Amino acid sequence: MDPAYSVILFTSSSGAGYGLLIWLAFTRLSGAWALSPMVAVIGCLVALALITTGLLSSTFHLGHPERAWRAMSQWRTSWLSREGVFAILTYPAALVFTAGWIWDAVPPIAMTLAASATLILSLVTVISTGMIYACLKTIPRWHNRWVVPVYLAMAIASGGLLFTLVLAASSAARQQTLILVMVVLLISWMTKWAYWRFIDRQEPASTTGTATGLGHLGTVSQLEAPHTSENYLLKEMGFSIARKHATKLRRMALNLGLLLPGIMLVLAGMSNGFAQLVLLSAALVLGLAGIVVERWLFFAEARHAVTLFYGRSL
Amino acid sequence: MTSLPKTTGKKLGLVTDLDICVGCHACAVSCKEWNAGGHSAPLTDTNAYGKDPSGVWFNRVHVYETDDGENTRTVNFPRSCLHCEQPACVTVCPTGASYKREEDGIVLVDAEKCIGCKLCSWACPYGAREYDADDGVMKKCTLCIDRIYNENLEESERQPACVIACPARARHFGDLGDPDSNISRLVERRGGYALMPETGYQPVNRYLPPRARKDQAGDTGTADHLDAAENVDSGHSFFNWLDKALSR
């Protein structure tokens, strides 16, 4: 599948945004960490800015962005539509939640409700994003049980890296908390590792022989393509990269997304003040870069059933 | 509306005979010609006369070679929308631009509602949908909806352009939901099959498999082998002598 940069940016950026909202809402509901209210507000606004950037970016790849509002209508059948609906519903809840940190006009019960709604809607939106891909039977590397957990885990992990900055700015970035974020980061990349293992062992269910129904005549190969140059199908669905390339990129994603941020978190746990803020920022930037590489691979490694008709394999 | 109709009145579709398709691309060209001015017009071409032309086509003709270790066969294979009974291209559409008609089962795109997100083309394993980057909307086979119901055309011409154009009569159009229709009987007789049933999309269109090859003497109904000429007894001593004499 063609790795469209707008979609990679959207899923990474809004994923981190929803992840941060999840951490902030959880903090409010559980009281696990004492945040300075003003810093919490800034955290909420940063999360919403990331989500909004992602949503706007996702409209860039549309043929008709001005009709994007129509995408809210088919939530009965379409995960893309559901994602849009949940994303929009998150805004009012998150705005009340944001205001509630500093504005006394929001009663505690409303704040608790807004925090709960923000938490649930953020989770459901990220799950919907994963389901857009996981529901496509045409792409075996997406149509499996690992895709949604990976999207969810990556969102919570990248949100966690953002959250460490909120904690640091509230002077509440204690070692135990940084260890917790490291564990979450480790779990997210273990989920991704499990996904990679799964797709590497996947046996293709269909071949050119089964797709064309000509398999009973022997091995089926394409003798002549239907067109002399690439068409939309091959550009969009036929994107392919070499396997060894993929292995290198996976290593790069792991280094950027897990190893280096892990080191930064350890160092941050041993420092404080401005140095800690710089180290946590570095962890965030590296972690996001790792997710971008991972997301690029998610598209580039995915093979579409239509390519079977062009004599390729899944 | 992307919710699918529970049943459709008819199941209009195409049947392609892979045994007699000669791979001339007339169906594809005729489709392009009609639809460039039809329901989904224009079918944009970019760089049409340049080095790397590309454009929107609803019908693509592949050529496959099959090899069973002894013999190879060439099979021409036109590929277009199969107007599935459970089309995921419709259900994934976020705007309701993609829909399946209740009256005849044709799958269409409402170009006024399409936002060009391309998700429907991802959901289709058959490559039926091609994006028109110029128009910013998705396009696909309409089963020539503007021909088959077109009262300005002679009744004999109210068929999809690809069916009319086929010089080998390898393409057939009709109601595959009616077991007594000519097209359903043809499918029944020839063992017509649906592509990739494992998707569960239940294509309406059918393909007729290439017939078994008749490359052995017995396959055509003649004797398995012919006796060598010298063993033939004409039943007449003169001709037997003549046969012998000439064979020397």
Side-chain angles (χ1 to χ4, degrees):
Chain A
M1 300 297 294
D2 178 44
Y5 292 105
S6 57
V7 178
I8 292 172
L9 187 64
F10 159 60
T11 55
S12 321
S13 168
S14 66
Y18 287 116
L20 178 55
L21 281 184
I22 289 166
W23 283 90
L24 287 165
F26 175 74
T27 306
R28 180 73 198 198
L29 292 170
S30 67
W33 296 281
L35 299 183
S36 124
M38 206 54 220
V39 173
V41 167
I42 293 169
C44 286
L45 292 176
V46 167
L48 287 170
L50 283 168
I51 292 166
T52 310
T53 308
L55 288 175
L56 287 177
S57 146
S58 76
T59 62
F60 291 158
H61 86 292
L62 296 180
H64 282 279
E66 81 283 3
R67 298 177 185 166
W69 60 272
R70 287 187 182 276
M72 307 294 140
S73 65
Q74 304 303 308
W75 49 269
R76 283 183 195 81
T77 65
S78 166
W79 280 105
L80 178 52
S81 189
R82 285 170 199 161
E83 184 204 41
V85 170
F86 291 131
I88 295 299
L89 287 177
T90 308
Y91 277 98
L95 285 173
V96 173
F97 173 60
T98 307
W101 287 97
I102 45 168
W103 196 24
D104 292 341
V106 181
I109 179 73
M111 186 58 178
T112 305
L113 282 175
S116 311
T118 303
L119 179 69
I120 293 165
L121 285 166
S122 299
L123 286 169
V124 174
T125 307
V126 176
I127 290 170
S128 300
T129 306
M131 279 307 293
I132 293 172
Y133 304 103
C135 79
L136 296 172
K137 289 183 193 168
T138 45
I139 305 163
R141 290 176 179 202
W142 291 356
H143 185 60
N144 61 65
R145 60 179 181 277
W146 289 105
V147 169
V148 170
V150 166
Y151 268 86
L152 204 51
M154 288 293 168
I156 294 172
S158 54
L161 291 175
L162 276 162
F163 185 64
T164 59
L165 285 169
V166 175
L167 289 170
S170 305
S171 310
R174 290 187 304 275
Q175 267 176 357
Q176 302 97 299
T177 314
L178 295 180
I179 289 169
L180 174 70
V181 172
M182 268 171 70
V183 170
V184 170
L185 197 63
L186 183 66
I187 292 172
S188 73
W189 285 95
M190 278 165 64
T191 318
K192 189 70 206 189
W193 185 260
Y195 166 84
W196 281 333
R197 248 174 83 95
F198 178 84
I199 62 167
D200 287 345
R201 289 166 184 213
Q202 221 173 9
E203 287 292 330
S206 312
T207 61
T208 303
T210 63
T212 57
L214 298 172
H216 63 281
L217 298 172
T219 317
V220 182
S221 55
Q222 183 169 254
L223 186 64
E224 202 173 86
H227 34 91
T228 49
S229 52
E230 281 213 318
N231 66 346
Y232 164 74
L233 297 174
L234 288 176
K235 282 178 201 148
E236 183 81 2
M237 262 79 85
F239 187 91
S240 50
I241 50 161
R243 276 238 156 218
K244 61 175 183 192
H245 212 131
T247 313
K248 273 184 199 158
L249 284 167
R250 283 182 188 182
R251 205 175 308 137
M252 190 186 186
L254 275 171
N255 287 339
L256 280 172
L258 178 63
L259 185 67
L260 294 174
I263 295 170
M264 296 299 153
L265 287 175
V266 170
L267 294 175
M270 298 187 294
S271 50
N272 49 39
F274 184 69
Q276 190 187 47
L277 214 54
V278 169
L279 286 164
L280 292 175
S281 304
L284 172 68
V285 171
L286 290 163
L288 288 177
I291 289 179
V292 168
V293 176
E294 173 267 316
R295 210 55 43 100
W296 188 87
L297 271 173
F298 177 71
F299 283 88
E301 283 195 285
R303 297 178 189 180
H304 193 283
V306 74
T307 58
L308 295 173
F309 290 98
Y310 287 87
R312 301 191 193 169
S313 55
L314 279 180
Chain B
M1 194 59 177
T2 55
S3 298
L4 299 174
K6 283 202 178 66
T7 53
T8 55
K10 289 180 175 177
K11 293 178 188 173
L12 294 186
L14 298 171
V15 168
T16 307
D17 191 338
L18 298 179
D19 192 65
I20 58 178
C21 173
V22 294
C24 69
H25 292 247
C27 54
V29 175
S30 177
C31 164
K32 176 85 172 177
E33 191 258 341
W34 176 264
N35 284 294
H39 177 273
S40 303
L43 301 195
T44 310
D45 285 318
T46 51
N47 205 15
Y49 302 99
K51 204 177 165 193
D52 192 24
S54 89
V56 182
W57 292 66
F58 297 162
N59 196 353
R60 303 277 192 179
V61 183
H62 294 255
V63 185
Y64 298 109
E65 184 171 66
T66 67
D67 183 355
D68 65 3
E70 276 183 36
N71 294 301
T72 60
R73 268 184 95 139
T74 303
V75 182
N76 302 298
F77 191 100
R79 175 176 58 77
S80 59
C81 174
L82 309 175
H83 297 280
C84 299
E85 287 180 58
Q86 297 293 324
C89 59
V90 170
T91 51
V92 300
C93 174
T95 67
S98 280
Y99 61 105
K100 184 170 177 69
R101 282 159 53 105
E102 198 165 352
E103 58 269 44
D104 52 19
I106 298 178
V107 176
L108 289 176
V109 178
D110 181 345
E112 301 290 306
K113 286 185 185 162
C114 178
I115 56 173
C117 72
K118 304 173 190 159
L119 188 58
C120 55
S121 68
W122 293 7
C124 175
Y126 311 109
R129 291 171 171 247
E130 298 199 9
Y131 181 68
D132 188 332
D134 241 36
D135 264 9
V137 296
M138 194 56 76
K139 299 195 170 173
K140 68 175 292 299
C141 162
T142 67
L143 209 58
C144 281
I145 196 152
D146 38 16
R147 287 190 69 95
I148 58 176
Y149 297 116
N150 192 336
E151 294 185 355
N152 296 316
L153 296 176
E154 295 287 328
E155 205 171 328
S156 62
E157 289 193 22
R158 290 179 208 161
Q159 294 197 63
C162 58
V163 174
I164 291 185
C166 181
R169 294 219 164 226
R171 296 177 78 89
H172 307 268
F173 164 70
D175 182 5
L176 285 145
D178 172 6
D180 295 324
S181 66
N182 286 339
I183 196 171
S184 295
R185 288 196 184 132
L186 178 65
V187 169
E188 180 71 33
R189 205 161 59 237
R190 290 281 307 282
Y193 64 96
L195 295 187
M196 301 186 85
E198 67 269 29
T199 59
Y201 299 162
Q202 300 175 32
V204 167
N205 285 13
R206 290 289 184 270
Y207 282 80
L208 305 182
R211 289 182 173 91
R213 193 177 236 164
K214 294 177 178 174
D215 54 2
Q216 302 296 316
D219 295 345
T220 54
T222 58
D224 276 356
H225 67 280
L226 301 174
D227 288 329
E230 48 267 84
N231 294 337
V232 175
D233 183 355
S234 72
H236 196 288
S237 55
F238 171 71
F239 286 119
N240 284 354
W241 169 81
L242 189 64
D243 182 40
K244 236 182 215 171
L246 290 174
S247 300
R248 263 201 288 268

